[in-house]
Amino acid sequence: MKIAIIGAGNLGMSIAEGVLSTNGATSMILTKRNLGDLKELEKYGIVSTTSDNREAVSKSDILIFTVQPGQFTKILNEVKDLLTDKHVIISTITGFSIAKIEEVIGPDNYIIRAMPNTAISVGKSMTCICSNEKGQKRIELAKAIFNRMGHTLQIPEQQMQAATVICASGIAFWMRMIRATTQGAIQLGFDAKEAQELAMHTCNGAASLLIESDSHPEYEIDKVTTPRGCTISGLNEMEHQGLSSSLIRGILASFDKINEIKKE
Ligand SMILES: NC(=O)c1ccc[n+]([C@@H]2O[C@H](COP(=O)([O-])OP(=O)(O)OC[C@H]3O[C@@H](n4cnc5c(N)ncnc54)[C@H](OP(=O)(O)O)[C@@H]3O)[C@@H](O)[C@H]2O)c1
């Protein structure tokens, strides 16, 4: 696969590292206007860097766009006459619909939207993917690329906003849960570093239990809640204080906000 990453900033660099560390490309071109911090990746023999987006597009098959939303239309206009049937266009740009992309380059291209989260930098992103009609034929290819950096799920484009809340904002929600657990552990006598170690590895273990055994959270909870025991006492107190309710309400508030921002 000949991959170009157009606008290799934070996300683009994480994707580049994920693909390169798993030998997922035969060649890779990274673009941005100031090339300074990209040079380091040239240690991989297959990587080159340029500020010329047209050069990157003409030498690649898979084009992953990771620029800011305000830069995208201009760049698409800059390269659209070079697009052929060999190109797969993958956009990670938040809130930029397939219809808007098609407005610039037309519908007769393989167009895919991918919504990763920041855990992509450690190969653990939950990435949601959708495509235009033609792009359906390349969706497995896009999933294969992002599966190298975590887990993927194909969803309808209408669910992309909701997925952004659950998966991208979700990183912040889970961080706050880990932080709160850490604070509890400090109050119980652990020093801050140990407390965070206990909290984050327990969180990792809980998620891994579900992922690896295809189990349900309540089934795993039943296993650790002894009748009259300490776990059920703690859990019920958390629920009396609104744990599940506040999480659900927070998710809905984020969703309302993302829809409001889109209208503006
Ligand atoms: N970060 C995340 O976790 C995440 C998750 C999901 C989606 N997203 C989306 O991904 C996109 C990128 O996010 P980011 O955090 O990686 O942004 P970023 O760090 O600002 O990266 C964008 C890069 O584009 C380059 N650029 C600007 N104009 C360019 C041009 N004309 N040609 C080529 N390169 C150009 C910029 O470098 P120069 O100024 O040097 O050109 C910059 O490094 C955003 O649209 C965001 O909504 C991000």
Side-chain angles (χ1 to χ4, degrees), residues 192-254:
K193 190 169 173 293
E194 284 175 348
Q196 183 172 321
E197 204 172 332
L198 300 186
M200 63 192 180
H201 285 283
T202 304
C203 176
N204 193 13
S208 302
L209 268 177
L210 296 178
I211 292 165
E212 283 167 32
S213 61
D214 202 16
S215 180
H216 186 281
E218 287 306 319
Y219 176 72
E220 297 300 329
I221 287 173
D222 284 349
K223 286 199 218 166
V224 295
T225 44
T226 313
R228 296 173 195 254
C230 62
T231 307
I232 192 65
S233 300
L235 206 51
N236 283 348
E237 181 58 23
M238 289 176 197
E239 290 301 349
H240 290 313
Q241 299 293 334
L243 178 68
S244 295
S245 175
S246 65
L247 277 172
I248 295 164
R249 285 184 172 200
I251 286 167
L252 297 181
S254 273

Side-chain angles (χ1 to χ4, degrees), residues 49 51 55 62 99 105 119 128 159 183 198 224:
T49 60
S51 293
E55 179 194 345
I62 317 271
I105 61 170
C128 289
Q159 287 188 330
Q183 286 169 316
L198 300 186
V224 295

